[in-house]
Amino acid sequence: MNFKQTFAKKLREIRKQRHLTQEQLAELVSVDFRHISYIETAKSFPSTDLIERICKALNVTYSQLFDFELETSREDLILKTTNIIKTLDDEKLALIFKIASGL
């Protein structure tokens, strides 16, 4: 999933938490409802001006709207995990091993 898709998913999630339809959000931010649909399907990305209006309409901060991590590939997860494990002392390494063995 790329940045636009991840942003789209987050916006849709917050909008639904606020019990708003795309049409209602569009009205609150003064755009056509199709524009919200395009954003939520990652066909379009909002301008900074529209992001500001969306944050106000949803009563969220910019950081809440962009609070997501892009999905990481399996290879990246293995590399990052390996790098973390290499820095652990013996006690913590043993604990991680027990946790992983129990999965």
Side-chain angles (χ1 to χ4, degrees), residues 9-90:
K9 182 179 175 185
K10 183 70 173 188
L11 175 60
R12 185 172 44 255
E13 174 186 298
I14 293 171
R15 177 184 56 77
K16 288 183 176 185
Q17 287 173 352
R18 302 295 191 271
H19 305 289
L20 292 172
T21 64
Q22 288 180 345
E23 292 83 2
Q24 290 168 324
L25 178 58
E27 187 175 322
L28 290 170
V29 298
S30 303
V31 297
D32 188 88
F33 79 92
R34 286 180 288 257
H35 193 52
I36 298 298
S37 174
Y38 291 157
I39 294 169
E40 288 189 1
T41 56
K43 292 178 185 170
S44 180
F45 194 80
S47 66
T48 54
D49 206 37
L50 182 52
I51 289 171
E52 187 174 335
R53 295 193 319 260
I54 288 171
C55 286
K56 286 180 183 176
L58 296 175
N59 194 28
V60 295
T61 63
Y62 304 120
S63 60
Q64 289 171 309
L65 187 59
F66 287 91
D67 183 20
F68 54 81
E69 290 186 33
L70 295 176
E71 290 184 5
T72 306
S73 69
R74 178 178 175 80
E75 292 77 23
D76 283 344
L77 285 174
I78 290 170
L79 180 63
K80 289 177 181 181
T81 304
T82 302
N83 288 337
I84 291 169
I85 288 172
K86 287 178 182 179
T87 66
L88 299 176
D89 61 34
D90 292 344

